[in-house]
Amino acid sequence: MSASFRVVTGALALLLPLGIAGSAFGQDRAGATPATAATAKSLRQAAGDRLLLGTAILSEHLDDPRHAELIRTQFNSVTPGNEMKPDHVQNERGKFTFERADKIVAFAQQNGMQVIGHTLVWHSQSPKWLYADAQGKPLPREQALANMKEHIEAVVKHYKGKVKGWDVVNEGIPDGPGDLRDTPARRAIGDDYIIKAFEFARAADPDVELYYNDYNIDMDYKRARGLKLVKQLQAAGVRLDGVGIQGHWLLEKPDLAEIERGIKAYADLGLNVMITEMDVDPLPRKEITAELSATEREGLDPYKAGLPDDVQRKLADRYAALFGVFAKYPQVTRVTIWGTTDANTWLNNFPVRGRTNHPMLWDRQMNPKPAFDAVYEALQSATGPGKRAARGTPAERQ
Ligand code: XIL
């Protein structure tokens, strides 16, 4: 039996329970390509049960039936892109506003998708009162700890049993010198604020997975500090269930080999590695960063009329190469793409406001791009029978 035949059979078997038209999918792999084949391809099906494949969404996307259909059929996991952040769930002290995030959770439950909680402690998109007084002065440690505990406890308990895992602390390592970023929480609490956040989250839900999440901790300049932090957390008795590498990458940078060194380094510590906010930015910019305050005032906007074919091809090749690297590591248990279509990616406004960006797998009309096919093919070959260890904790896999 040829390898490709086995892949087709496996994919068809996965299609049937979800009731998605399976014939076009199978015929497409076999060479006869009916007109509907492109839309019948599903990344969710191609990933099977071996990889969580996610997308970051906003609750309003679910009001558009076409958009909701795309999310439901193409992904098996969602991350609320904004709606679980501190300023969304508790902007005013003690007034919890879970409605919009709840809507995402309900959608995920109806469609058999996992939800990833993002995020409990972060220096952006968080109300000032959590860690500072009205004058902006850091709160006394005990007060800040009490606020952090109350926030984490309320949010984690609200979503107990509904969220697979939490990005407990986001972006704790600086781009410049130093082991820890200078953040409101750290200024008020001290260097152990990250350990404390994990302790509060674990106490609120003993079963949920807890992750440390950051950008560029795969890259050479930040990796040693990422590893150091992870080891410190483990030494402090924190049960860390994974490390999230955000994965806001550019078309040509960082080098594939550098990203792979990063994935391998965390995997070698016995950790699951998740690519939590993947996108590939084809527009020119100065730096590889996801720091929200690092906006660039001016930037070229060369693809307003659409992405030229050669760049489209490069984008597809880059996605294929990255998914090829992920497939080498069974520790990579989830890949979440930060957005769904080019119309709703945050990169239309970052690092330069108001550009026409094209980093996603679907274009502005929700048509799949060559990058979609590239990811689909990469998933097919990576998750074919016998190609990849089943998902699980490193211990379970041994
Ligand atoms: C972004 C959202 O996508 C935008 O809608 C929002 O305006 C700013 O934040 N790293 C993260 C994410 O951890 O939370 C950020 O999300 C992107 C960078």
Side-chain angles (χ1 to χ4, degrees), residues 56 58 81-82 85 118-119 122 125 167 170-171 213 215 246 248 277 290-292 338 344-346 353:
L58 305 180
N82 281 319
K85 289 172 179 172
H118 174 79
T119 174
W122 190 25
Q125 293 181 275
D167 292 337
N170 195 29
E171 302 178 350
N213 193 56
Y215 64 86
Q246 288 187 4
H248 294 292
E277 306 185 14
E291 166 52 38
L292 289 180
W338 201 249
N344 63 43
T345 163
W346 76 300
R353 289 209 141 268

Side-chain angles (χ1 to χ4, degrees), residues 199-265:
E199 285 174 3
F200 295 146
R202 179 56 69 217
D205 186 348
D207 302 318
V208 76
E209 293 192 352
L210 302 180
Y211 319 124
Y212 174 73
N213 193 56
D214 210 332
Y215 64 86
N216 294 358
I217 49 168
D218 45 325
M219 290 180 69
D220 293 342
Y221 82 98
K222 252 191 192 180
R223 187 186 316 123
R225 289 177 286 164
L227 294 168
K228 186 171 171 185
L229 176 60
V230 162
K231 286 182 198 157
Q232 280 169 351
L233 291 175
Q234 289 174 330
V238 166
R239 196 190 92 207
L240 190 65
D241 298 294
V243 168
I245 295 174
Q246 288 187 4
H248 294 292
W249 292 310
L250 314 189
L251 207 49
E252 274 150 13
K253 288 192 276 187
D255 259 18
L256 210 57
E258 185 170 358
I259 294 172
E260 180 164 359
R261 282 199 292 279
I263 292 172
K264 185 172 183 312

Side-chain angles (χ1 to χ4, degrees), residues 81-100:
N82 281 319
E83 287 149 322
M84 286 187 179
K85 289 172 179 172
D87 67 347
H88 279 63
V89 293
Q90 197 194 180
N91 200 39
E92 252 176 74
R93 178 187 202 112
K95 199 176 152 224
F96 288 91
T97 42
F98 291 123
E99 294 75 11
R100 293 206 287 175

